Amino acid sequence: MNANDRSWAPSCGFGFPAATGRFQYERSFTSRPRNVVGWSTPAESVLGRGDPRADIRGALTLAEQLHKHWDWRPALLDGAQLKSATRMRDGTHPMVYLFGAARAHHGRLIPVTGFARDLDYQAAVAAIVATDRRGLALRCALDDTLDADLDTRVAELLAPMGLAADGIDLLLDLGSPAFEPQDMLIDILVAALTASATVRAARSVTLIATSFPETLSTLDGPIHVVQRSEWLLYKGC
């Protein structure tokens, strides 16, 4: 959803697991039509599972591939799944380290934060914002999106970083909500979003949801059709 043209069409993003190898990165970037590059934004999550050094190496591989195939275009990096106590050997926060290393690869990354991130994470994002001056992306859950105090909470989060709502990309991550009755969900979402000054001011707004089953073990037979309820939701909004 582009906040500037009020089209209410979801922006396009795609993600890569941090442990993905270089070949998969290369394939993902080069297999996309060139006209897709202009309106899509890669999104990477540092998983924080297993060896954190391997996760960080995977994220740095992304930075190299972004520079090679995405040129000057930005990408989002989210450290939500990092364990809060994770630090580099010198005590540096992993987000600060990753963004510093990405700069060496000429990567134009934008940090992703959220209301539930700890103080050290928020401080790391603030330092990145002050250095790169690219703003940040704010990931909001469904409850955040529907909160009548969303604008106030956003302003309080951004103030210490010297940002306003027009300096952020808003990621409305609904997770896997109860899609039915869908008309009611659409009405609630549209009412909440049209009433939000943050949504109107943000430089971009992306609506994210999924209806993919959490597990495939409950599906019968070799072929099963799953309704993509999130796409119906996007079209309805």
Side-chain angles (χ1 to χ4, degrees):
M1 181 168 58
N2 189 307
N4 294 322
D5 64 16
R6 303 296 187 271
S7 64
W8 296 94
S11 302
C12 177
F14 57 93
F16 305 96
T20 302
R22 180 166 184 166
F23 172 76
Q24 285 87 347
Y25 280 124
E26 186 90 18
R27 181 182 177 88
S28 297
F29 284 116
T30 58
S31 64
R32 294 184 177 272
R34 294 300 300 173
N35 64 330
V36 172
V37 172
W39 51 264
S40 57
T41 302
E44 162 81 1
S45 291
V46 184
L47 298 182
R49 299 189 302 216
D51 183 354
R53 290 171 297 181
D55 294 330
I56 288 171
R57 284 195 298 272
L60 292 180
T61 300
L62 173 67
E64 294 174 355
Q65 294 302 309
L66 281 171
H67 176 54
K68 182 176 180 180
H69 298 292
W70 236 248
D71 196 19
W72 52 267
R73 298 172 182 87
L76 309 180
L77 183 65
D78 193 345
Q81 298 185 62
L82 286 169
K83 295 180 180 179
S84 60
T86 302
R87 295 292 184 274
M88 308 309 294
R89 288 183 177 177
D90 62 358
T92 302
H93 193 281
M95 288 291 283
V96 172
Y97 174 82
L98 281 168
F99 275 77
R103 290 180 201 112
H105 293 290
H106 308 285
R108 298 184 71 239
L109 300 181
I110 296 172
V112 180
T113 191
F115 294 116
R117 313 296 168 90
D118 62 37
L119 293 177
D120 288 343
Y121 187 100
Q122 303 292 16
V125 169
I128 294 165
V129 168
T131 299
D132 293 337
R133 299 187 180 278
R134 296 192 188 103
L136 58 81
L138 177 61
R139 186 185 294 271
C140 297
L142 178 58
D143 290 345
D144 299 323
T145 304
L146 301 180
D147 190 344
D149 294 325
L150 175 63
D151 293 338
T152 300
R153 295 175 64 198
V154 170
E156 291 175 349
L157 178 69
L158 298 180
M161 303 183 192
L163 289 175
D166 61 0
I168 69 171
D169 300 296
L170 197 58
L171 309 178
L172 305 179
D173 189 349
L174 309 184
S176 182
F179 288 100
E180 299 296 339
Q182 192 166 84
D183 288 346
M184 181 181 297
L185 177 59
I186 290 171
D187 289 344
I188 292 172
L189 281 173
V190 170
L193 297 180
T194 53
S196 171
T198 299
V199 171
R200 293 193 297 272
R203 61 191 180 190
S204 72
V205 181
T206 302
L207 188 63
I208 309 167
T210 183
S211 57
F212 196 84
E214 186 173 350
T215 174
L216 301 181
S217 62
T218 59
L219 303 183
D220 299 325
I223 299 176
H224 195 95
V225 177
V226 177
Q227 177 173 282
R228 296 300 301 272
S229 298
E230 71 271 29
W231 283 104
L232 297 175
L233 176 66
Y234 299 155
K235 292 170 67 176
C237 287

